[in-house]
Every structure is written in C-alpha cells, then in structure tokens.
Amino acid sequence: MKWKDQGSFIEIFPPADFSFQECLIFLGRSHQEILHRISEGYLYKLIKADDQQILLKIGAAPHSIKVEFPISEPNQNIREKAADYLLEWFDMDRELKGFYQMAASDEILQAVCANHFGLRIIGIPDLFEALTWAVIGQQINLTFAYTLKKRFVEHYGECLDYEGIVYWLYPEPDIIAELEVEDLRKLQFTNRKAEYIIGIAKSMKAGLLAKKELLQAEDYPQLKETLMKIRGIGGWTADYVMMKCLKHPRSFPIADVGLHNAIKLQKGMERKPTIREIEDMAENWKGWEAYAVFYLWRSLYE
DNA sequence: ATCCAGGAACTGT
DNA sequence: ACAGTTCATGGA
C-alpha cells in the first residue's frame, strides 16, 4: 500500500529512508522557480490530469505525506494520478539501501550522503520538460537558465490563479511546435536553443518521440544512442534526461561541470578532475551513478 | 574587462 | 574516431 484515500486528502507512505524535508530543500534551490512553490513547510504543485488543472498541497505528516486538493474534490482516477505523479517525482519506489551502503565507504560520497540522508532524485516526469529544460541549461549559468525558463513558461504555459497566487504548467509540445525561432529569440533564447526546442516539440507532436517508447528501450547504451539522434541532444543532455525523466540508475553525465566542481570540493583538489580520473573514482559507483551525481550536485549549495 | 557557465553541432584532419 | 571552432548570452 503506497498511498491511501482519506476522503478530503490522500496519504502517501514513502520508505523509511525518505526525507521530505531534504527534498523540499532541493526544490527550494532557485527563487526563480515557478513550476512549484514552497510556503510554510508546504509544497504547492499544479499538475494536469484528465485534462484538468489540479493543484496539490503537499505536506509532511509523521510517517507519511499528506496531499490536499485546495481547488477541487477530485475523483478516484485523479487521486490515483496525483499519487503516481508524486511517487515518480520523488523517486519513492527506489530501494536505496545498496546506494547508501556503497556510499558509506566511498571517499567522495560519504559526507554528502550522511549530510543529506533521505534525499532522492527529484525527477522531471514530463519528457518535454526534461528535454527542453536540459537544452535551456546547456552552456549557460543556472541563474540565466532559470530566467529563460521563467519567460518560456510565462509566455506559453497555462496557469491557474488561486488566492492571488499564480501557478504554472510547463508549456505543451503542441503549442511550441507552432512557434518560429524568432518567437523564442524575443525571450533571449539563442538561435540554436530555439531551433532545438521547436524541433523537439515538433517530433513529440508528430508522435516520433514519446516517453512510453523510450522507457521500453533495451539497455542504457542503446537508450542513450536513441536520445542523441535528436538534434540538440548530446551526451550530457541524454544522460540528464535518463536521470531525471527516464529514471535510469546508471545514467551518468560525466562531462557535467557541476559534477567536476563538486568532486574538486569534496576531495579538496586545486583543479577540476579530468574525465579519466572521474571514471576511476566512479568504479565504485557502478549501478548508482545517477544517485552519486545527484548527491554531488546537492553538495554544491547549502 | 575577462572568464566561464549543469554543451552541442559543425568543420577539418 | 579525434581535435579545434563557433555559437551567443548573462553572471560573477
């Protein structure tokens, strides 16, 4: 029993080694984030289910997570979708004992795993969002990446006003597929980012690119190869999407600058490690590369 | 100013 | 297969 209907709310029962608090801290990392809101210990998230906008108010209870529906009294089907969404978003079905056991004796991961015990990979369940957010973040600083995302969402996403606060949904591929490069240039996207994003939207709209199909992919290398055929998706983005959306535990964005900085810090190095050096360090992480990277990203901000 | 940022495609060897 | 170049922009 992963969740239970309690009438006016639903209750989700995560594993014992899950910390809602740690996940909240991660979600609060950018003040420019507009796809969720954190206020007084509650997490607010707008999702779409059965073509309806559903606002979720998520809070920690002693041994569970309580999810309320401030704007509606949803039917059974929507309750189930809300529960599924949260189970996926916070990777609650993952058995992490093996990871923590490995990390306990790993020079690089030991401290960060102890410090943030209970944190899980915070995913991006929506494939279009995962792909295009990764493209937006390519080769620019994160602050500006959030600025671009905010403009993108506010121009092309749906929203809901509740008690004077606006909640946003990420734009749909069908809308973005109809744009011209110039439309996104106005938001200060580069030509290339605009081309990539519109191209991805068109592929998804045409049914050539879908999460369901990608999830059926055979193994890690093959899945990565498939993703990299998409224009704008290189090795880094393929791994990022496998990690945040397709939930592949072995996804490993090894060229990531943030990863390099985190390793440098954890090891007290004077320079960033080389790819070869990271490959050696990661021998110990086999099967848990995605979690190793995610925790190391976490170590970069307090 | 100057360097760099949660890279990728393109070009030439 | 590999290395160098170009893209483009804001943050620190």
Side-chain angles (χ1 to χ4, degrees):
Chain A
M1 176 188 51
K2 287 167 187 167
W3 67 280
K4 195 172 172 186
D5 195 347
Q6 303 286 19
S8 65
F9 62 95
I10 63 172
E11 202 173 4
I12 297 178
F13 303 95
D17 57 2
F18 173 85
S19 166
F20 184 65
Q21 205 40 241
E22 280 293 340
C23 293
L24 266 196
I25 293 169
F26 178 86
L27 286 169
R29 70 196 182 288
S30 170
H31 298 295
Q32 296 193 84
E33 180 60 69
I34 57 168
L35 295 178
H36 58 258
R37 183 171 86 93
I38 298 167
S39 176
E40 297 177 352
Y42 288 98
L43 169 63
Y44 296 83
K45 174 76 176 172
L46 184 64
I47 65 170
K48 203 158 194 182
D50 286 0
D51 217 34
Q52 294 175 48
Q53 294 181 352
I54 309 293
L55 183 62
L56 308 179
K57 179 184 180 184
I58 306 140
H63 298 288
S64 68
I65 293 168
K66 210 172 143 182
V67 184
E68 300 169 76
F69 305 94
I71 57 166
S72 57
E73 197 61 33
N75 65 33
Q76 190 62 26
N77 186 36
I78 286 175
R79 287 162 192 266
E80 186 168 347
K81 285 186 174 167
D84 286 344
Y85 184 87
L86 292 173
L87 286 164
E88 183 178 356
W89 191 16
F90 295 136
D91 201 26
M92 286 191 241
D93 288 334
R94 187 82 49 193
E95 171 56 75
L96 278 190
K97 285 194 180 65
F99 171 68
Y100 284 134
Q101 198 167 8
M102 174 278 283
S105 60
D106 186 90
E107 183 195 349
I108 301 168
L109 297 176
Q110 195 172 40
V112 63
C113 285
N115 289 342
H116 307 294
F117 185 78
L119 173 67
R120 293 187 170 239
I121 291 183
I122 309 296
I124 304 177
D126 179 63
L127 178 66
F128 183 62
E129 181 186 342
L131 285 165
T132 52
W133 167 236
V135 168
I136 289 171
Q138 286 168 2
Q139 188 58 18
I140 59 174
N141 65 76
L142 267 179
T143 308
F144 182 48
Y146 277 108
T147 302
L148 288 178
K149 175 166 116 174
K150 185 163 181 285
R151 287 180 192 154
F152 185 60
V153 171
E154 287 177 342
H155 271 80
Y156 300 110
E158 288 181 32
C159 66
L160 167 79
D161 190 319
Y162 172 68
E163 291 185 341
I165 294 170
V166 182
Y167 298 87
W168 292 93
L169 289 169
Y170 200 76
E172 301 278 342
D174 286 10
I175 304 290
I176 305 307
E178 301 304 319
L179 299 183
E180 300 296 333
V181 168
E182 292 72 44
D183 296 319
L184 293 179
R185 288 284 297 162
K186 288 177 198 151
L187 309 186
Q188 280 176 291
F189 285 63
T190 61
N191 273 305
R192 273 198 261 208
K193 278 190 206 297
E195 287 168 12
Y196 296 164
I197 288 169
I198 294 169
I200 290 166
K202 285 181 171 165
S203 295
M204 290 189 70
K205 185 182 179 187
L208 302 173
L209 177 60
K211 183 175 181 180
K212 196 174 165 188
E213 273 74 52
L214 293 176
L215 284 173
Q216 289 167 1
E218 314 63 29
D219 54 355
Y220 170 75
Q222 198 142 7
L223 179 55
K224 184 166 177 176
E225 195 181 325
T226 302
L227 286 168
M228 287 179 64
K229 284 180 190 152
I230 305 165
R231 185 157 183 269
I233 309 300
W236 178 84
T237 306
D239 273 306
Y240 182 85
V241 170
M242 284 188 279
M243 170 183 177
K244 300 278 280 187
C245 182
L246 305 174
K247 320 204 78 166
H248 205 298
R250 295 197 55 194
S251 57
F252 191 23
I254 195 168
D256 180 79
V257 178
L259 172 66
H260 302 173
N261 288 331
I263 291 172
K264 178 184 165 191
L265 270 173
Q266 292 300 312
K267 291 191 64 128
M269 300 168 71
E270 294 193 356
R271 57 168 176 82
K272 288 193 243 181
T274 65
I275 298 292
R276 302 245 182 281
E277 288 171 331
I278 299 173
E279 282 170 351
D280 288 340
M281 299 169 197
E283 272 298 308
N284 197 33
W285 305 347
K286 280 209 181 308
W288 292 107
E289 287 88 344
Y291 260 91
V293 170
F294 192 76
Y295 267 78
L296 286 169
W297 281 346
R298 174 63 183 84
S299 74
L300 289 175
Y301 40 84
E302 293 310 316

